[in-house]
Amino acid sequence: MSTDRFPGGAAGVPRSERSRGRRFRRVNAVVLTGLAVAAVGLGAANATQGPRLSSAEINTRAVIARAEQRLVLTANQPLADVEPSQVRVSPSTRIDDVSVDGATLTIRFADILDYDTDYTVSVDDVSGAFTTAVGTLRHGFSTPSVDVFTLLRDTADDPAGQDAPDRIFRNSPTGAESAEVFQAPRIQEYVVSESVLVAATRTNGGSALVLTSLADGGSATVPTPVGGPLHDLRLSEQLLGFRLGGEVDPVTSALVAPLYILDLTDPSGVPIQAVGLDGAPLSVRDFVFVPGSTALVAQAADDQLYLLDPIAGAAPTPLGQHAELRGFVPGTTDLVVADPSSGSLIDLADGSLAPLGLPAADADPATTAGKLVVLDEDRYVQQFDRVDYALARTTIGSELLLVDPSGTERIFRPTSETSRIRDFCVSPNGQLLAIEVVPLDGVINDDDLLPAFSDMTTYFVELSTGTTTRSVSGFLPSWCR
């Protein structure tokens, strides 16, 4: 009798089963060998191939609004250290810092970037942390354009004898788009943020403050204190600042008025009046919000400057007496102030004061120096006017000069030599100038708190080239508020 448990072969396994098992083992061995060879090949390839870009992240809205923004590049392998000299940016811009963490490379831009611009960032000779092969990481991105608003007054009467509406337009300084976003009779002035437009209008009963959503166009009138017309609107984050009524200083002819701050997110809609060190209401000559914050700097009637944060409720911080507030260096919180014989920068982080050593402008001695806007510690734009009495009607011609340590350059002059510049300011990123121009035959309308002339035009000019990118009808470009 056979001792096999199953007939048909040794160990009781059918011959066909044993054959399939041998084929499986052979195939399995071939597959494993192939995988091993592939793994060796891939390892060799990685050892001889430099890093490649896997992904990139950047906030394009933030880079045109604030300095010190980041571009994050992720490679396909851990990276060795990268030096700033290995990074190239086109168009050229300064790099503040470069850091590596594993496969992530972070590049920090020192300055605010330009609007509506295509950038390419290349990082050369990048090597892996565990290989000697090098590669190039390259990423391109485009920054968005930005909106700038202008006010177009209409002094004509409609057929019913009522004031024709004034209009506020949204414009692109580098494109061709313009669109009306608000209209009302007798718009005195306005301010705008990314989400809301606030306009002060003049009515038979005084002034009204109208808030308009830029998302859906809905408007609402905000109750304001009594005491005179609203003026000098300023907007920062969710805070609206304005002065109310006031009296003219007989010595300086400056208007001194109470300052109010309204938190647009406060359901009560009750503005807070700014107070001084003694807790008494503060009347001011001028004020300016600190960019990107709820703080502001106010100039009192005696020229004393105070750093205030009415929402936080902190005590005012004195910053010294100065004759003029000139705003902030673009992209910073360095406050520019002026006195009769000098200018200075106040570092709001510690309150320290540093002299502003600006080079002298090489201007025609026959011209008169006017408004000055500081771009950085040794560069500025200044207006110069020339009065011509030779014609039957006295004319004023204007030009803007860009001054830096390398010299003086004319950056803008109206096409007509008899047109004059009434006001100008620089875009928040320091890229463009917005310039109000009044033609010779412009007729003044001084029935409003902020007078205007007929046929006023706003020009947008590239600071780096002096190229006029666009002109639009109206005045009071929103950058100047």
Side-chain angles (χ1 to χ4, degrees), residues 19-58:
S19 177
R20 282 196 296 270
R22 286 193 298 270
R23 287 198 301 272
F24 174 77
R25 288 191 292 273
R26 285 196 299 270
V27 171
N28 191 47
V30 171
V31 171
L32 291 175
T33 302
L35 289 174
V37 171
V40 172
L42 288 172
N46 283 335
T48 58
Q49 190 176 64
R52 299 187 302 275
L53 183 65
S54 294
S55 63
E57 295 180 14
I58 187 169

mmCIF file of all heavy atoms in Angstrom, residues 19-58:
data_model
loop_
_atom_site.group_PDB
_atom_site.id
_atom_site.type_symbol
_atom_site.label_atom_id
_atom_site.label_comp_id
_atom_site.label_asym_id
_atom_site.label_seq_id
_atom_site.Cartn_x
_atom_site.Cartn_y
_atom_site.Cartn_z
ATOM 1 N N SER A 19 4.598 22.531 -11.150
ATOM 2 C CA SER A 19 5.080 23.270 -12.331
ATOM 3 C C SER A 19 4.702 24.747 -12.255
ATOM 4 O O SER A 19 5.509 25.625 -12.520
ATOM 5 C CB SER A 19 4.488 22.637 -13.592
ATOM 6 O OG SER A 19 4.872 23.377 -14.749
ATOM 7 N N ARG A 20 3.431 24.994 -11.855
ATOM 8 C CA ARG A 20 3.009 26.402 -11.719
ATOM 9 C C ARG A 20 3.812 27.113 -10.636
ATOM 10 O O ARG A 20 4.155 28.282 -10.760
ATOM 11 C CB ARG A 20 1.510 26.472 -11.401
ATOM 12 C CG ARG A 20 0.635 26.249 -12.624
ATOM 13 C CD ARG A 20 -0.779 26.700 -12.350
ATOM 14 N NE ARG A 20 -1.407 25.908 -11.308
ATOM 15 C CZ ARG A 20 -2.102 24.791 -11.556
ATOM 16 N NH1 ARG A 20 -2.234 24.345 -12.795
ATOM 17 N NH2 ARG A 20 -2.667 24.117 -10.570
ATOM 18 N N GLY A 21 4.140 26.411 -9.548
ATOM 19 C CA GLY A 21 4.921 27.012 -8.476
ATOM 20 C C GLY A 21 6.311 27.399 -8.947
ATOM 21 O O GLY A 21 6.847 28.450 -8.592
ATOM 22 N N ARG A 22 6.928 26.522 -9.756
ATOM 23 C CA ARG A 22 8.268 26.853 -10.252
ATOM 24 C C ARG A 22 8.227 28.066 -11.174
ATOM 25 O O ARG A 22 9.096 28.938 -11.126
ATOM 26 C CB ARG A 22 8.850 25.635 -10.985
ATOM 27 C CG ARG A 22 9.302 24.518 -10.034
ATOM 28 C CD ARG A 22 10.153 23.502 -10.774
ATOM 29 N NE ARG A 22 9.422 22.834 -11.846
ATOM 30 C CZ ARG A 22 8.728 21.719 -11.667
ATOM 31 N NH1 ARG A 22 8.645 21.168 -10.453
ATOM 32 N NH2 ARG A 22 8.093 21.166 -12.675
ATOM 33 N N ARG A 23 7.184 28.127 -12.046
ATOM 34 C CA ARG A 23 7.075 29.287 -12.936
ATOM 35 C C ARG A 23 6.870 30.583 -12.137
ATOM 36 O O ARG A 23 7.433 31.620 -12.450
ATOM 37 C CB ARG A 23 5.904 29.089 -13.917
ATOM 38 C CG ARG A 23 6.205 28.049 -14.999
ATOM 39 C CD ARG A 23 5.239 28.202 -16.174
ATOM 40 N NE ARG A 23 3.858 28.045 -15.749
ATOM 41 C CZ ARG A 23 3.250 26.841 -15.701
ATOM 42 N NH1 ARG A 23 3.896 25.737 -16.008
ATOM 43 N NH2 ARG A 23 1.988 26.763 -15.337
ATOM 44 N N PHE A 24 6.052 30.543 -11.088
ATOM 45 C CA PHE A 24 5.807 31.717 -10.246
ATOM 46 C C PHE A 24 7.098 32.215 -9.607
ATOM 47 O O PHE A 24 7.393 33.412 -9.570
ATOM 48 C CB PHE A 24 4.772 31.392 -9.167
ATOM 49 C CG PHE A 24 4.581 32.518 -8.171
ATOM 50 C CD1 PHE A 24 3.830 33.641 -8.490
ATOM 51 C CD2 PHE A 24 5.193 32.445 -6.922
ATOM 52 C CE1 PHE A 24 3.667 34.656 -7.575
ATOM 53 C CE2 PHE A 24 5.034 33.470 -6.023
ATOM 54 C CZ PHE A 24 4.266 34.575 -6.341
ATOM 55 N N ARG A 25 7.891 31.226 -9.084
ATOM 56 C CA ARG A 25 9.139 31.627 -8.435
ATOM 57 C C ARG A 25 10.108 32.242 -9.434
ATOM 58 O O ARG A 25 10.804 33.219 -9.127
ATOM 59 C CB ARG A 25 9.764 30.420 -7.737
ATOM 60 C CG ARG A 25 9.012 29.978 -6.477
ATOM 61 C CD ARG A 25 9.824 28.971 -5.682
ATOM 62 N NE ARG A 25 9.959 27.708 -6.390
ATOM 63 C CZ ARG A 25 9.075 26.715 -6.311
ATOM 64 N NH1 ARG A 25 7.978 26.864 -5.565
ATOM 65 N NH2 ARG A 25 9.263 25.598 -6.967
ATOM 66 N N ARG A 26 10.133 31.719 -10.658
ATOM 67 C CA ARG A 26 11.030 32.292 -11.656
ATOM 68 C C ARG A 26 10.589 33.714 -12.036
ATOM 69 O O ARG A 26 11.398 34.638 -12.135
ATOM 70 C CB ARG A 26 11.059 31.396 -12.898
ATOM 71 C CG ARG A 26 11.876 30.104 -12.714
ATOM 72 C CD ARG A 26 12.192 29.490 -14.069
ATOM 73 N NE ARG A 26 10.996 29.122 -14.802
ATOM 74 C CZ ARG A 26 10.418 27.914 -14.714
ATOM 75 N NH1 ARG A 26 10.916 26.986 -13.886
ATOM 76 N NH2 ARG A 26 9.346 27.630 -15.416
ATOM 77 N N VAL A 27 9.267 33.859 -12.265
ATOM 78 C CA VAL A 27 8.758 35.191 -12.614
ATOM 79 C C VAL A 27 9.000 36.190 -11.483
ATOM 80 O O VAL A 27 9.416 37.333 -11.695
ATOM 81 C CB VAL A 27 7.252 35.131 -12.947
ATOM 82 C CG1 VAL A 27 6.670 36.544 -13.106
ATOM 83 C CG2 VAL A 27 7.032 34.337 -14.232
ATOM 84 N N ASN A 28 8.747 35.747 -10.258
ATOM 85 C CA ASN A 28 8.948 36.614 -9.096
ATOM 86 C C ASN A 28 10.397 37.046 -8.987
ATOM 87 O O ASN A 28 10.721 38.204 -8.692
ATOM 88 C CB ASN A 28 8.502 35.892 -7.833
ATOM 89 C CG ASN A 28 8.439 36.826 -6.638
ATOM 90 O OD1 ASN A 28 7.887 37.921 -6.741
ATOM 91 N ND2 ASN A 28 8.991 36.398 -5.510
ATOM 92 N N ALA A 29 11.299 36.102 -9.234
ATOM 93 C CA ALA A 29 12.722 36.430 -9.164
ATOM 94 C C ALA A 29 13.107 37.457 -10.222
ATOM 95 O O ALA A 29 13.873 38.397 -9.984
ATOM 96 C CB ALA A 29 13.558 35.164 -9.315
ATOM 97 N N VAL A 30 12.536 37.295 -11.431
ATOM 98 C CA VAL A 30 12.825 38.240 -12.509
ATOM 99 C C VAL A 30 12.318 39.637 -12.162
ATOM 100 O O VAL A 30 12.997 40.642 -12.348
ATOM 101 C CB VAL A 30 12.200 37.740 -13.832
ATOM 102 C CG1 VAL A 30 12.300 38.825 -14.901
ATOM 103 C CG2 VAL A 30 12.891 36.478 -14.299
ATOM 104 N N VAL A 31 11.074 39.687 -11.624
ATOM 105 C CA VAL A 31 10.485 40.987 -11.248
ATOM 106 C C VAL A 31 11.315 41.669 -10.179
ATOM 107 O O VAL A 31 11.631 42.858 -10.251
ATOM 108 C CB VAL A 31 9.028 40.816 -10.792
ATOM 109 C CG1 VAL A 31 8.492 42.118 -10.196
ATOM 110 C CG2 VAL A 31 8.158 40.380 -11.960
ATOM 111 N N LEU A 32 11.669 40.931 -9.139
ATOM 112 C CA LEU A 32 12.458 41.514 -8.054
ATOM 113 C C LEU A 32 13.815 41.989 -8.549
ATOM 114 O O LEU A 32 14.315 43.047 -8.137
ATOM 115 C CB LEU A 32 12.631 40.492 -6.927
ATOM 116 C CG LEU A 32 11.353 40.149 -6.154
ATOM 117 C CD1 LEU A 32 11.619 39.043 -5.135
ATOM 118 C CD2 LEU A 32 10.809 41.385 -5.453
ATOM 119 N N THR A 33 14.400 41.202 -9.435
ATOM 120 C CA THR A 33 15.683 41.618 -9.994
ATOM 121 C C THR A 33 15.526 42.908 -10.804
ATOM 122 O O THR A 33 16.336 43.830 -10.710
ATOM 123 C CB THR A 33 16.257 40.505 -10.875
ATOM 124 O OG1 THR A 33 16.411 39.322 -10.103
ATOM 125 C CG2 THR A 33 17.603 40.918 -11.467
ATOM 126 N N GLY A 34 14.427 42.987 -11.590
ATOM 127 C CA GLY A 34 14.179 44.199 -12.373
ATOM 128 C C GLY A 34 13.974 45.422 -11.505
ATOM 129 O O GLY A 34 14.490 46.501 -11.786
ATOM 130 N N LEU A 35 13.201 45.223 -10.410
ATOM 131 C CA LEU A 35 12.978 46.348 -9.499
ATOM 132 C C LEU A 35 14.274 46.804 -8.862
ATOM 133 O O LEU A 35 14.510 48.008 -8.669
ATOM 134 C CB LEU A 35 11.959 45.951 -8.422
ATOM 135 C CG LEU A 35 10.513 45.781 -8.899
ATOM 136 C CD1 LEU A 35 9.636 45.246 -7.772
ATOM 137 C CD2 LEU A 35 9.963 47.111 -9.412
ATOM 138 N N ALA A 36 15.104 45.840 -8.495
ATOM 139 C CA ALA A 36 16.383 46.193 -7.888
ATOM 140 C C ALA A 36 17.252 46.974 -8.859
ATOM 141 O O ALA A 36 17.884 47.974 -8.512
ATOM 142 C CB ALA A 36 17.103 44.923 -7.423
ATOM 143 N N VAL A 37 17.272 46.507 -10.126
ATOM 144 C CA VAL A 37 18.056 47.213 -11.139
ATOM 145 C C VAL A 37 17.508 48.621 -11.352
ATOM 146 O O VAL A 37 18.248 49.604 -11.469
ATOM 147 C CB VAL A 37 18.049 46.412 -12.458
ATOM 148 C CG1 VAL A 37 18.670 47.240 -13.585
ATOM 149 C CG2 VAL A 37 18.798 45.103 -12.285
ATOM 150 N N ALA A 38 16.141 48.728 -11.395
ATOM 151 C CA ALA A 38 15.527 50.056 -11.574
ATOM 152 C C ALA A 38 15.857 50.973 -10.414
ATOM 153 O O ALA A 38 16.126 52.163 -10.608
ATOM 154 C CB ALA A 38 14.017 49.905 -11.721
ATOM 155 N N ALA A 39 15.808 50.412 -9.198
ATOM 156 C CA ALA A 39 16.123 51.232 -8.025
ATOM 157 C C ALA A 39 17.557 51.726 -8.086
ATOM 158 O O ALA A 39 17.852 52.893 -7.783
ATOM 159 C CB ALA A 39 15.883 50.430 -6.747
ATOM 160 N N VAL A 40 18.453 50.855 -8.473
ATOM 161 C CA VAL A 40 19.850 51.273 -8.612
ATOM 162 C C VAL A 40 19.985 52.348 -9.676
ATOM 163 O O VAL A 40 20.689 53.341 -9.526
ATOM 164 C CB VAL A 40 20.733 50.051 -8.938
ATOM 165 C CG1 VAL A 40 22.153 50.500 -9.284
ATOM 166 C CG2 VAL A 40 20.762 49.086 -7.774
ATOM 167 N N GLY A 41 19.234 52.144 -10.799
ATOM 168 C CA GLY A 41 19.281 53.141 -11.871
ATOM 169 C C GLY A 41 18.760 54.488 -11.439
ATOM 170 O O GLY A 41 19.344 55.526 -11.743
ATOM 171 N N LEU A 42 17.608 54.454 -10.707
ATOM 172 C CA LEU A 42 17.054 55.718 -10.214
ATOM 173 C C LEU A 42 17.992 56.381 -9.231
ATOM 174 O O LEU A 42 18.159 57.607 -9.220
ATOM 175 C CB LEU A 42 15.687 55.468 -9.565
ATOM 176 C CG LEU A 42 14.544 55.144 -10.527
ATOM 177 C CD1 LEU A 42 13.300 54.737 -9.743
ATOM 178 C CD2 LEU A 42 14.249 56.320 -11.432
ATOM 179 N N GLY A 43 18.583 55.587 -8.363
ATOM 180 C CA GLY A 43 19.527 56.158 -7.412
ATOM 181 C C GLY A 43 20.698 56.799 -8.122
ATOM 182 O O GLY A 43 21.155 57.888 -7.766
ATOM 183 N N ALA A 44 21.183 56.126 -9.172
ATOM 184 C CA ALA A 44 22.295 56.688 -9.932
ATOM 185 C C ALA A 44 21.873 57.962 -10.650
ATOM 186 O O ALA A 44 22.615 58.937 -10.716
ATOM 187 C CB ALA A 44 22.792 55.656 -10.942
ATOM 188 N N ALA A 45 20.614 57.947 -11.186
ATOM 189 C CA ALA A 45 20.117 59.153 -11.875
ATOM 190 C C ALA A 45 19.999 60.327 -10.918
ATOM 191 O O ALA A 45 20.377 61.449 -11.240
ATOM 192 C CB ALA A 45 18.775 58.866 -12.530
ATOM 193 N N ASN A 46 19.439 60.056 -9.716
ATOM 194 C CA ASN A 46 19.304 61.131 -8.728
ATOM 195 C C ASN A 46 20.654 61.647 -8.290
ATOM 196 O O ASN A 46 20.810 62.818 -7.952
ATOM 197 C CB ASN A 46 18.510 60.640 -7.522
ATOM 198 C CG ASN A 46 17.020 60.576 -7.804
ATOM 199 O OD1 ASN A 46 16.530 61.287 -8.658
ATOM 200 N ND2 ASN A 46 16.314 59.701 -7.102
ATOM 201 N N ALA A 47 21.638 60.749 -8.257
ATOM 202 C CA ALA A 47 22.970 61.163 -7.828
ATOM 203 C C ALA A 47 23.642 62.036 -8.877
ATOM 204 O O ALA A 47 24.556 62.796 -8.572
ATOM 205 C CB ALA A 47 23.826 59.938 -7.531
ATOM 206 N N THR A 48 23.204 61.922 -10.121
ATOM 207 C CA THR A 48 23.833 62.687 -11.195
ATOM 208 C C THR A 48 22.939 63.804 -11.710
ATOM 209 O O THR A 48 23.345 64.552 -12.598
ATOM 210 C CB THR A 48 24.172 61.748 -12.377
ATOM 211 O OG1 THR A 48 22.971 61.118 -12.831
ATOM 212 C CG2 THR A 48 25.173 60.690 -11.937
ATOM 213 N N GLN A 49 21.721 63.955 -11.192
ATOM 214 C CA GLN A 49 20.791 64.986 -11.649
ATOM 215 C C GLN A 49 20.543 66.003 -10.546
ATOM 216 O O GLN A 49 20.297 65.637 -9.390
ATOM 217 C CB GLN A 49 19.478 64.341 -12.072
ATOM 218 C CG GLN A 49 18.534 65.294 -12.775
ATOM 219 C CD GLN A 49 17.289 64.579 -13.270
ATOM 220 O OE1 GLN A 49 16.511 64.067 -12.476
ATOM 221 N NE2 GLN A 49 17.104 64.540 -14.582
ATOM 222 N N GLY A 50 20.625 67.294 -10.904
ATOM 223 C CA GLY A 50 20.438 68.337 -9.915
ATOM 224 C C GLY A 50 18.989 68.486 -9.503
ATOM 225 O O GLY A 50 18.084 67.916 -10.116
ATOM 226 N N PRO A 51 18.728 69.284 -8.469
ATOM 227 C CA PRO A 51 17.365 69.506 -7.980
ATOM 228 C C PRO A 51 16.483 70.137 -9.053
ATOM 229 O O PRO A 51 16.937 70.934 -9.880
ATOM 230 C CB PRO A 51 17.559 70.454 -6.793
ATOM 231 C CG PRO A 51 18.979 70.253 -6.365
ATOM 232 C CD PRO A 51 19.737 69.958 -7.621
ATOM 233 N N ARG A 52 15.197 69.784 -9.024
ATOM 234 C CA ARG A 52 14.207 70.355 -9.923
ATOM 235 C C ARG A 52 13.063 70.940 -9.096
ATOM 236 O O ARG A 52 12.788 70.490 -7.988
ATOM 237 C CB ARG A 52 13.668 69.304 -10.896
ATOM 238 C CG ARG A 52 14.717 68.690 -11.800
ATOM 239 C CD ARG A 52 14.082 67.787 -12.858
ATOM 240 N NE ARG A 52 13.288 66.720 -12.270
ATOM 241 C CZ ARG A 52 13.778 65.560 -11.865
ATOM 242 N NH1 ARG A 52 15.080 65.322 -11.963
ATOM 243 N NH2 ARG A 52 12.990 64.637 -11.357
ATOM 244 N N LEU A 53 12.396 71.938 -9.664
ATOM 245 C CA LEU A 53 11.294 72.604 -8.964
ATOM 246 C C LEU A 53 10.050 71.733 -9.003
ATOM 247 O O LEU A 53 9.629 71.289 -10.077
ATOM 248 C CB LEU A 53 11.009 73.958 -9.610
ATOM 249 C CG LEU A 53 9.920 74.813 -8.943
ATOM 250 C CD1 LEU A 53 10.349 75.235 -7.544
ATOM 251 C CD2 LEU A 53 9.613 76.042 -9.805
ATOM 252 N N SER A 54 9.462 71.504 -7.820
ATOM 253 C CA SER A 54 8.214 70.743 -7.741
ATOM 254 C C SER A 54 7.000 71.658 -7.631
ATOM 255 O O SER A 54 5.962 71.403 -8.242
ATOM 256 C CB SER A 54 8.250 69.790 -6.542
ATOM 257 O OG SER A 54 9.232 68.797 -6.718
ATOM 258 N N SER A 55 7.114 72.748 -6.850
ATOM 259 C CA SER A 55 5.983 73.663 -6.671
ATOM 260 C C SER A 55 6.491 75.013 -6.189
ATOM 261 O O SER A 55 7.638 75.142 -5.754
ATOM 262 C CB SER A 55 4.966 73.095 -5.663
ATOM 263 O OG SER A 55 5.555 72.971 -4.382
ATOM 264 N N ALA A 56 5.620 76.031 -6.289
ATOM 265 C CA ALA A 56 5.972 77.386 -5.851
ATOM 266 C C ALA A 56 4.743 78.054 -5.259
ATOM 267 O O ALA A 56 3.617 77.811 -5.705
ATOM 268 C CB ALA A 56 6.520 78.208 -7.012
ATOM 269 N N GLU A 57 4.972 78.901 -4.249
ATOM 270 C CA GLU A 57 3.875 79.614 -3.603
ATOM 271 C C GLU A 57 4.263 81.074 -3.397
ATOM 272 O O GLU A 57 5.362 81.366 -2.925
ATOM 273 C CB GLU A 57 3.537 78.993 -2.235
ATOM 274 C CG GLU A 57 3.008 77.572 -2.305
ATOM 275 C CD GLU A 57 2.702 77.026 -0.920
ATOM 276 O OE1 GLU A 57 2.646 77.837 0.027
ATOM 277 O OE2 GLU A 57 2.533 75.809 -0.793
ATOM 278 N N ILE A 58 3.347 81.988 -3.765
ATOM 279 C CA ILE A 58 3.553 83.412 -3.527
ATOM 280 C C ILE A 58 2.195 84.096 -3.485
ATOM 281 O O ILE A 58 1.279 83.730 -4.236
ATOM 282 C CB ILE A 58 4.453 84.040 -4.616
ATOM 283 C CG1 ILE A 58 4.793 85.491 -4.247
ATOM 284 C CG2 ILE A 58 3.825 83.942 -5.987
ATOM 285 C CD1 ILE A 58 5.872 86.093 -5.126
#
